[in-house]
């Protein structure tokens, strides 16, 4: 009997194995599919390569923002091969590490539970005292669409395999993946249309920032808010999309349809109902949101197999912490200990650090909002990227930073600073005593903090 069996070798599973091997050699990791991560293979890494190329092209084409006149002819035929080449470099590093693991510690195959302490893979059964389930997720796609459109329907799993950039693209969804990839494709010369179920883009929950983002992105992208396709049919090498807009039926023809309507967990493949019949219904499965424990079993589910924060650094942290819960079982603790941090690599970037506006409203917290526009912010003007705004939420009693939402240039860096501030539980007064170099984008944080302080009682 193994001390720990880990199922899944994505970010969370690999992190769990690397931690477990420090404490025991009596462990096993099982994986179905490539022994690398969603992030490196089909997620955050290749998408950022694509976005980087798109933004560089956009900067060249809009050099007049910094008083340059540029006459450039840009060839995009090498973009997709470049994306794959750099992606393969990232995945190769992970695969190289996995290759060093002892052969007796890893099995390739699809596992499922026989009972609470027994799994089966490749016709063989294995038992463990504890399990860490890190099977991940896959893009959610309507089967009817897949059958009707064939290879003209793609997800984030397939888009980076396109040999060349398409001429036209329809994106279903307006969340993180949709906005990032749609904007990148549009900037690379692909005529792109977004079908959005709701009146929302990205992750921002602040009404003011959400409106600002919608207005700004709509200047660059064709976003059909509160509109989904009525009908999609394949016509040779294209897809014809029929939809209703302003009570009128309209159609467009595109080379590909990119579906970004969420992801679905791969937990059902493990047949958890063999542990308890009630576990068949994934929507009601009893997983503690903090400890990630399955009911009262020594089984922990980490990463995006079941998560409200499906991001790489959270998955790695959960995998590591789950090992310690296995080793100290039944004494367990929360694995959700990181200050929340979410980023959308659009331009301007979106980010949330700590608690969002919506979360604070839902919890009825007493807070003030410090705001700062970046339209006239000095450094942003110098960069020719003076767009957007930020909000910082400050507790009215403790004067500590609770959270922030951002829609501006370099939000990825500003959000990290804010997350660290929140993690250190710093007050607004302590933060305003820190140095702010001039001229920097960070000065916008000081402006927002000062705005918040003016609203607080002395």
């Amino acid at each position: 009997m193994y001390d720990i069996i880990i199922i899944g070798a994505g970010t969370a599973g690999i992190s769990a194995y690397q931690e477990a091997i420090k404490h025991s050699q009596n462990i096993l990791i099982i994986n179905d599919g490539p022994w690398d991560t969603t992030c490196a293979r089909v997620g955050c890494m290749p998408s950022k390569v694509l976005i980087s190329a798109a933004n560089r092209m956009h900067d060249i084409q809009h050099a007049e923002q910094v008083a340059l006149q540029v006459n450039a002819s840009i060839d995009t035929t090498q973009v997709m091969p470049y994306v794959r080449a750099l992606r393969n470099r990232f995945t190769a590093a992970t695969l190289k590490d996995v290759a060093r693991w002892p052969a007796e510690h890893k099995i390739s195959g699809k596992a499922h539970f026989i009972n609470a302490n027994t799994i089966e893979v490749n016709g063989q059964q294995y038992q463990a005292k504890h399990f860490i389930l890190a099977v991940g997720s896959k893009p959610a796609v309507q089967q009817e669409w897949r059958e009707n459109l064939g290879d003209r329907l793609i997800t984030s799993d397939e888009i980076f395999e396109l040999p060349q950039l398409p001429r036209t693209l329809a994106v279903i969804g307006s969340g993180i993946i949709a906005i990032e990839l749609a904007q990148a494709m549009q900037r690379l010369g692909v005529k792109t249309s977004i079908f959005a179920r709701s009146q929302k883009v990205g992750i921002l929950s602040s009404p003011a920032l959400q409106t600002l983002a919608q207005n700004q992105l709509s200047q660059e992208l064709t976003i059909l808010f509160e509109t989904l396709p009525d009908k999609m049919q394949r016509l040779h090498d294209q897809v014809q999309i029929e939809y209703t807009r302003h009570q009128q039926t309209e159609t467009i023809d595109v080379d590909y349809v990119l579906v970004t309507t969420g992801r679905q967990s791969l937990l059902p493949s493990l047949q958890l109902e063999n542990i308890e019949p009630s576990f068949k219904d994934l929507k009601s499965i009893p997983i503690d949101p903090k400890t990630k424990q399955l009911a009262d079993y020594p089984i922990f589910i980490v990463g995006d197999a079941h998560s409200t924060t499906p991001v790489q650094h959270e998955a790695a942290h959960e995998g590591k912490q789950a090992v310690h819960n296995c080793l100290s079982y039944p004494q367990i603790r929360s694995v959700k200990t990181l200050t929340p941090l979410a980023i959308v690599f659009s331009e301007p970037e979106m980010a949330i650090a700590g608690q969002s506006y919506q979360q604070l409203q839902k919890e009825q917290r007493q807070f003030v909002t410090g705001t700062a526009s970046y339209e006239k912010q000095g450094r942003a003007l110098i960069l020719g990227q003076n767009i957007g705004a930020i909000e910082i939420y400050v507790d009215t009693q403790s004067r500590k930073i609770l959270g922030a939402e951002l829609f501006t240039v370099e939000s990825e860096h500003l959000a990290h600073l804010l997350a660290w501030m929140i993690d250190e539980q710093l007050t607004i007064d302590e933060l305003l005593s820190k140095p702010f170099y001039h001229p920097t984008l960070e000065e916008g944080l000081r402006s927002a903090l000062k705005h918040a302080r003016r609203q607080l009682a002395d």
Side-chain angles (χ1 to χ4, degrees):
M1 178 176 286
Y2 290 96
D3 291 333
I4 302 174
I5 289 180
I6 303 162
I7 306 178
T11 296
I14 289 174
S15 176
Y17 176 82
Q18 291 172 334
E19 185 63 23
I21 199 68
K22 299 175 184 177
H23 306 277
S24 173
Q25 291 292 320
N26 188 29
I27 57 178
L28 183 66
I29 183 167
I30 301 163
N31 187 60
D32 181 32
W35 288 74
D36 55 29
T37 68
T38 295
C39 174
R41 182 167 40 87
V42 294
C44 44
M45 298 305 279
S47 69
K48 301 315 167 289
V49 181
L50 188 76
I51 290 167
S52 179
N55 289 348
R56 188 69 61 87
M57 180 170 166
H58 185 266
D59 289 343
I60 293 169
Q61 293 173 326
H62 294 80
E64 74 279 358
Q65 293 175 336
V66 288
L68 296 175
Q69 298 299 315
V70 175
N71 222 346
S73 176
I74 301 176
D75 182 355
T76 61
T77 58
Q78 294 305 305
V79 168
M80 295 310 293
Y82 173 69
V83 169
R84 284 190 291 277
L86 201 49
R87 182 272 310 272
N88 292 343
R89 176 178 173 179
F90 297 134
T91 57
T94 301
L95 294 172
K96 185 177 180 180
D97 285 342
V98 171
R100 297 193 186 103
W101 299 352
E104 63 271 19
H105 285 179
K106 53 191 178 183
I107 297 175
S108 291
K110 187 183 292 275
H112 68 270
F113 277 89
I114 301 299
N115 54 46
N117 64 1
T118 309
I119 55 101
E120 182 175 298
V121 59
N122 301 332
Q124 296 291 319
Q125 293 189 1
Y126 304 88
Q127 292 188 323
K129 301 173 185 175
H130 315 92
F131 290 89
I132 297 175
L133 311 184
V135 290
S137 63
K138 64 180 181 179
V141 179
Q142 290 187 28
Q143 189 59 32
E144 181 183 357
W145 288 357
R146 178 73 78 182
E147 292 172 357
N148 291 341
L149 305 184
D151 62 3
R152 293 287 135 174
L153 182 146
I154 56 175
T155 67
S156 55
D157 279 1
E158 294 95 23
I159 190 169
F160 305 113
E161 304 307 321
L162 295 179
Q164 296 293 336
L165 292 167
R167 291 177 296 109
T168 53
L169 178 71
V171 179
I172 313 297
S174 60
I176 297 173
I177 297 172
I179 293 301
E180 288 186 351
L181 295 180
Q183 187 180 50
M185 285 293 185
Q186 181 71 31
R187 291 187 166 192
L188 288 166
V190 180
K191 186 178 180 181
T192 304
S193 301
I194 297 176
F195 289 85
R197 180 186 297 276
S198 65
Q199 189 75 29
K200 184 180 179 182
V201 292
I203 59 173
L204 301 170
S205 72
S206 156
L209 294 184
Q210 179 59 224
T211 299
L212 194 62
Q214 290 173 26
N215 293 338
Q216 178 62 36
L217 292 174
S218 292
Q219 294 178 31
E220 182 177 353
L221 297 168
T222 299
I223 307 178
L224 304 171
F225 289 110
E226 298 180 325
T227 303
L228 290 177
D230 298 322
K231 180 181 179 182
M232 295 195 293
Q233 60 178 332
R234 180 164 179 169
L235 300 176
H236 304 293
D237 288 335
Q238 285 201 310
V239 175
Q240 185 176 84
I241 301 176
E242 186 177 296
Y243 61 98
T244 304
R245 189 76 169 159
H246 305 306
Q247 299 182 329
Q248 297 291 322
T249 298
E250 300 184 31
T251 62
I252 59 169
D253 294 340
V254 297
D255 294 333
Y256 291 94
V257 174
L258 171 64
V259 178
T260 63
T261 52
R263 298 180 68 86
Q264 59 188 57
S265 173
L266 292 171
L267 281 176
S269 67
L270 296 179
Q271 300 179 30
L272 298 178
E273 63 270 21
N274 290 336
I275 299 174
E276 280 193 28
S278 62
F279 292 172
K280 187 174 181 63
D281 183 4
L282 195 59
K283 293 181 180 179
S284 60
I285 192 168
I287 301 172
D288 188 296
K290 293 184 178 180
T291 65
K292 306 305 291 289
Q293 183 183 14
L294 173 61
D296 57 355
Y297 291 95
I299 299 173
F300 300 89
I301 300 173
V302 296
D304 62 349
H306 193 278
S307 178
T308 57
T309 55
V311 289
Q312 192 265 0
H313 72 277
E314 287 272 6
H317 179 75
E318 289 177 14
K320 180 178 180 179
Q321 296 304 312
V323 170
H324 293 286
N325 277 342
C326 289
L327 296 173
S328 63
Y329 189 84
Q331 300 299 317
I332 61 174
R333 59 188 181 186
S334 175
V335 303
K336 303 294 288 185
T337 58
L338 298 179
T339 296
L341 182 61
I343 299 169
V344 181
F345 291 86
S346 56
E347 195 170 274
E349 293 176 342
M350 305 179 200
I352 298 177
Q355 291 180 281
S356 69
Y357 178 88
Q358 186 178 60
Q359 288 172 323
L360 293 170
Q361 289 285 352
K362 185 177 181 180
E363 294 175 7
Q364 298 184 328
R365 294 291 296 268
Q366 297 300 308
F367 68 98
V368 298
T369 301
T371 64
S373 170
Y374 269 70
E375 292 182 7
K376 297 180 180 179
Q377 203 272 341
R379 180 64 172 169
L381 276 165
I382 291 168
L383 295 171
Q385 295 177 297
N386 51 311
I387 302 169
I390 64 173
E391 294 182 354
I392 299 178
Y393 312 123
V394 182
D395 186 271
T396 55
Q397 296 299 317
S398 69
R399 302 171 75 92
K400 292 179 181 178
I401 311 301
L402 300 174
E405 297 199 19
L406 306 93
F407 178 63
T408 187
V409 59
E410 304 290 357
S411 286
E412 59 182 288
H413 304 301
L414 300 178
H416 275 86
L417 291 176
L418 287 161
W420 298 338
M421 294 174 187
I422 295 164
D423 196 54
E424 293 298 319
Q425 299 186 31
L426 298 177
T427 68
I428 193 169
D429 309 289
E430 290 171 322
L431 288 171
L432 283 170
S433 69
K434 305 296 183 185
F436 290 83
Y437 204 87
H438 176 74
T440 60
L441 295 170
E442 286 75 11
E443 287 179 298
L445 299 183
R446 182 176 61 185
S447 297
L449 290 168
K450 284 185 174 180
H451 180 236
R453 186 170 64 179
R454 289 195 294 270
Q455 300 171 62
L456 294 171
D458 292 332

